[in-house]
Amino acid sequence: MISWRRLDEHDFPVLAQWLGQPHVARWWAHETSDEAVRRDFGPSARGEEPNQDWLALLDGTPVGLMQRCRWDDYPEYIEEVAPILTIPNSAISLDYLVGEPTLIGHGLGTRMMRSMLDKTWHDCPDSNTAIVPVHADNVASWRMLEKAGFHRVAIGDLTPDNPTDDKRHVIYRTDRPAHSSCRTPDSTTRPR
């Protein structure tokens, strides 16, 4: 069963370990030093940043990360995407990683995404859309989005997370289902 809790500073060592895994480092291209992780994830963990970092727990064990933010909170990103796609008001963006290499390729990413979407529809009643850009070469990521119910709505050039990549991106969208008031077992949030 997948549950969620907000990432806090005690989780930074495991996050740094995940960011250093080759399957994560390829797409996130993030520094893994203690200082870099504190610098980039600390503001969210302390509630100083509008985005939210959620730790995915599988039967209580940390297995991945989901970042959730409102596009409206980051107008510079809306401006970059504007030539390709109009972002609806109150739309959500999600970024994600499965940290444990042994869990890759077993459907965990899809389960995490479905669970976080259900949680998002519950937590954010004014948000009806999730829009996620993915580098065009990250086939595993965009296939996971498709399995989780997203549809490709645009293709275009965006600044890549990994500076070694070109700008080609695909953009996926899903909308709040009519029955979103029903919560699934994978959408629980465990308190700390």
Side-chain angles (χ1 to χ4, degrees), residues 160-176:
D161 290 330
N162 188 330
T164 64
D165 286 328
D166 59 28
K167 292 186 171 191
R168 297 173 302 113
H169 279 71
V170 291
I171 302 177
Y172 281 83
R173 173 179 176 153
T174 193
D175 295 305
R176 175 188 295 272

Side-chain angles (χ1 to χ4, degrees), residues 22-192:
H23 71 280
V24 175
R26 167 64 186 94
W27 301 110
W28 282 61
H30 198 283
E31 296 176 53
T32 59
S33 69
D34 291 344
E35 179 183 330
V37 173
R38 274 195 309 275
R39 176 193 67 218
D40 295 338
F41 293 89
S44 174
R46 294 187 299 272
E48 301 166 359
E49 186 75 24
N51 75 301
Q52 299 175 350
D53 295 320
W54 291 91
L55 198 64
L57 307 171
L58 181 61
D59 297 326
T61 301
V63 293
L65 179 78
M66 187 77 66
Q67 293 185 315
R68 180 173 75 184
C69 71
R70 292 175 181 271
W71 282 86
D72 295 343
D73 289 332
Y74 296 92
E76 65 277 17
Y77 297 136
I78 292 176
E79 187 176 313
E80 183 179 10
V81 173
I84 306 166
L85 182 70
T86 299
I87 303 294
N89 291 337
S90 299
I92 297 291
S93 181
L94 300 166
D95 204 355
Y96 40 86
L97 65 86
V98 173
E100 297 300 323
T102 58
L103 299 176
I104 297 297
H106 301 287
L108 178 60
T110 303
R111 287 180 56 208
M112 284 173 49
M113 182 58 73
R114 287 178 180 156
S115 177
M116 180 51 72
L117 282 171
D118 190 56
K119 178 171 177 39
T120 297
W121 305 142
H122 179 266
D123 293 351
C124 308
D126 63 326
S127 295
N128 294 315
T129 304
I131 295 181
V132 179
V134 178
H135 192 274
D137 290 342
N138 193 349
V139 177
S141 184
W142 52 259
R143 284 192 177 150
M144 179 278 294
L145 288 170
E146 290 171 353
K147 290 176 186 173
F150 283 77
H151 304 282
R152 187 178 296 189
V153 292
I155 300 172
D157 289 346
L158 300 171
T159 303
D161 290 330
N162 188 330
T164 64
D165 286 328
D166 59 28
K167 292 186 171 191
R168 297 173 302 113
H169 279 71
V170 291
I171 302 177
Y172 281 83
R173 173 179 176 153
T174 193
D175 295 305
R176 175 188 295 272
H179 62 282
S180 66
S181 62
C182 299
R183 297 187 74 202
T184 64
D186 268 357
S187 64
T188 60
T189 302
R190 290 179 22 172
R192 267 209 68 120

Side-chain angles (χ1 to χ4, degrees), residues 5-18 37 53 55 57 62 65 192:
R5 70 170 169 78
R6 290 289 296 269
L7 183 79
D8 67 33
E9 295 184 355
H10 295 99
D11 300 313
F12 289 175
V14 73
L15 178 58
Q17 181 183 359
W18 291 344
V37 173
D53 295 320
L55 198 64
L57 307 171
L65 179 78
R192 267 209 68 120

